[in-house]
Amino acid sequence: MTDVAPTEGNTLLASLPDSAWIREGIEDPGNSLAILGKKGGTGKTTLTQLLLDAGVRFGLNMLGIDGDPQGNLSIALDNKVRMVDTGRVGLGNRKVLEPDRLTLVEVLLANEDGVVDEGFQLSGWEYDPTADFTRGGPLIPGKIGTVGIVPAYKALEDVSRGWNISDLGRLDRALNAPLAPGGVPPRLRWDVVMSDMLPGGSDLARAQLKAMRKFLLLTTAEPFGINAIADTLDFGRDIRENWDNPRLEALGLVFTSYNPQGIVTRAELADLRAAQEAGSEAVDIEIWDPRVPTRTVVPKAQGYRAPVSALLAESRDRNKAMEMCQVAEAVLLRILHKIGHPDVQELEQRWRAAWPDLSPWATGAISEKETQHGA
């Protein structure tokens, strides 16, 4: 940790409004979740940024933890980590560089209780609090939430080298224990905490999942994606049963890069449903209705370092942005119901009033033809 970290952390904390958990005196909610999938390329970062965007427009405190050394979530939230010259030289007269902000690397290296309170940054995303919700503004007039990010960069690849079993609890301590005795655990400051997990089952992935209370499984409706469901659920069960996280729970399964007309999609989902109906524990997970399509508005927003909801105000991109935002909002509302968020009923009522006509991608109706065909 650097000398400036506590000062920066205290300043950011002072500006952070109370979460619903603090407001209602709820001491141990299940409000942290991993966006998880053992297969790469399933759109975990895309959905994470969409969910964070939805949450801030719902007026919530949302924290993203970038668990991937590529740092794509950090880049999307306008928190790209850059290496700066310290003015010192090392062996071979090489310049010593350091990141220009605190990151997940420093949080893990600190190995101290509650240091997420010092290691998070605020997103660079900007919102117009006067705009209508359907044009990118807040769901509750004038109430924009807060998006925080614990950034990552390539040094995260090496942080877990040489770890022993006890080191797998580093993020758990940093997120779920208070910085000072009797204080508030960092997790409680946020309505929802989301970890954008890297694929696979490395020690770094274990440390991230060990710190979470829930996980949302993302995959594609094609052979490799369907096969990854059982592997991902096995990974979650292993962390729950063998790595001292008995409260870890699978929330559900969301399909990404979805093609409702694909022959492979229909065949794979028919096989998946048949296995579930036969009682296979390997794929025992609730399939959620919303489907995530592939839309060019997501990389466009990433290029602007802006949330996808910012494109709701542009006529050229509005319809595609509306599809993606509604899908994310529907998924987030399902998450809020599952974790028992105190404000979810009001938020859903306001949301349905704001969008009288919901996209079939958000309601799950996009899959009806495929389901009937598979049946």
Side-chain angles (χ1 to χ4, degrees):
M1 304 293 284
T2 67
D3 291 339
V4 298
T7 301
E8 290 180 354
N10 290 339
T11 299
L12 294 180
L13 287 177
S15 67
L16 194 65
D18 284 347
S19 69
W21 316 113
I22 293 177
R23 187 187 74 228
E24 300 292 334
I26 299 172
E27 296 183 354
D28 194 15
N31 66 319
S32 57
L33 66 144
I35 307 300
L36 185 62
K38 291 291 287 291
K39 179 183 179 295
T42 57
K44 292 186 291 293
T45 300
T46 293
L47 186 59
T48 303
Q49 73 176 86
L50 286 166
L51 291 171
L52 293 172
D53 181 21
V56 74
R57 293 171 64 235
F58 282 180
L60 304 177
N61 293 345
M62 304 290 293
L63 178 66
I65 298 176
D66 193 345
D68 193 326
Q70 294 184 65
N72 289 333
L73 183 64
S74 307
I75 295 169
L77 269 69
D78 197 21
N79 268 270
K80 181 178 180 179
V81 179
R82 294 176 173 82
M83 304 305 292
V84 296
D85 190 348
T86 65
R88 305 190 304 273
V89 294
L91 294 176
N93 205 35
R94 296 181 63 179
K95 292 181 179 180
V96 176
L97 305 178
E98 66 180 13
D100 65 345
R101 65 199 68 208
L102 294 171
T103 74
L104 184 57
V105 174
E106 287 72 45
V107 166
L108 293 172
L109 290 177
N111 195 21
E112 296 287 345
D113 291 352
V115 291
V116 164
D117 271 354
E118 295 181 349
F120 79 92
Q121 316 288 308
L122 294 182
S123 166
W125 286 350
E126 295 182 356
Y127 293 87
D128 180 359
T130 66
D132 186 80
F133 179 71
T134 62
R135 296 290 175 173
L139 183 60
I140 300 172
K143 185 179 180 182
I144 293 290
T146 303
V147 181
I149 174 74
V150 181
Y153 70 114
K154 63 181 181 179
L156 190 61
E157 294 175 352
D158 303 320
V159 75
S160 62
R161 289 185 182 178
W163 274 8
N164 56 39
I165 291 176
S166 65
D167 289 318
L168 295 178
R170 289 184 177 214
L171 184 57
D172 187 21
R173 295 179 62 190
L175 181 65
N176 296 316
L179 187 63
V184 176
R187 176 168 58 88
L188 284 184
R189 302 186 189 280
W190 305 90
D191 290 282
V192 183
V193 176
M194 296 182 182
S195 179
D196 180 19
M197 299 275 291
L198 70 165
S202 66
D203 280 346
L204 181 59
R206 288 189 180 91
Q208 293 176 62
L209 195 53
K210 182 175 167 58
M212 299 294 118
R213 294 289 190 262
K214 316 285 185 185
F215 67 87
L216 183 65
L217 198 162
L218 267 60
T219 196
T220 53
E222 44 81 31
F224 292 138
I226 298 296
N227 289 338
I229 294 173
D231 289 341
T232 306
L233 291 176
D234 278 343
F235 184 44
R237 279 190 289 267
D238 181 52
I239 298 298
R240 181 176 64 242
E241 297 168 5
N242 301 317
W243 298 96
D244 194 28
N245 191 3
R247 290 185 55 188
L248 183 65
E249 175 188 8
L251 289 179
L253 166 64
V254 174
F255 284 113
T256 59
S257 303
Y258 191 74
N259 177 13
Q261 304 301 324
I263 295 175
V264 172
T265 296
R266 295 197 294 267
E268 290 295 328
L269 290 187
D271 289 345
L272 173 61
R273 290 192 178 88
Q276 289 186 328
E277 290 171 1
S280 172
E281 182 180 346
V283 291
D284 183 17
I285 189 169
E286 179 185 357
I287 301 174
W288 286 8
D289 294 330
R291 302 287 194 264
V292 183
T294 300
R295 295 289 182 260
T296 57
V297 291
V298 176
K300 184 172 184 178
Q302 291 170 344
Y304 290 154
R305 305 293 189 264
V308 171
S309 64
L311 301 181
L312 289 170
E314 297 187 9
S315 58
R316 179 185 301 178
D317 299 307
R318 176 171 167 73
N319 288 339
K320 300 306 181 185
M322 183 171 61
E323 287 178 344
M324 299 303 286
C325 287
Q326 287 184 358
V327 167
E329 291 153 11
V331 171
L332 181 59
L333 285 167
R334 183 76 68 93
I335 291 170
L336 294 176
H337 276 292
K338 290 281 190 177
I339 66 176
H341 193 278
D343 299 335
V344 64
Q345 299 292 346
E346 178 190 355
L347 292 173
E348 183 159 12
Q349 289 174 4
R350 287 178 176 271
W351 178 71
R352 291 189 179 279
W355 295 118
D357 296 314
L358 288 171
S359 165
W361 292 95
T363 63
I366 199 73
S367 66
E368 287 180 358
K369 183 182 295 186
E370 157 263 306
T371 302
Q372 294 166 0
H373 189 283

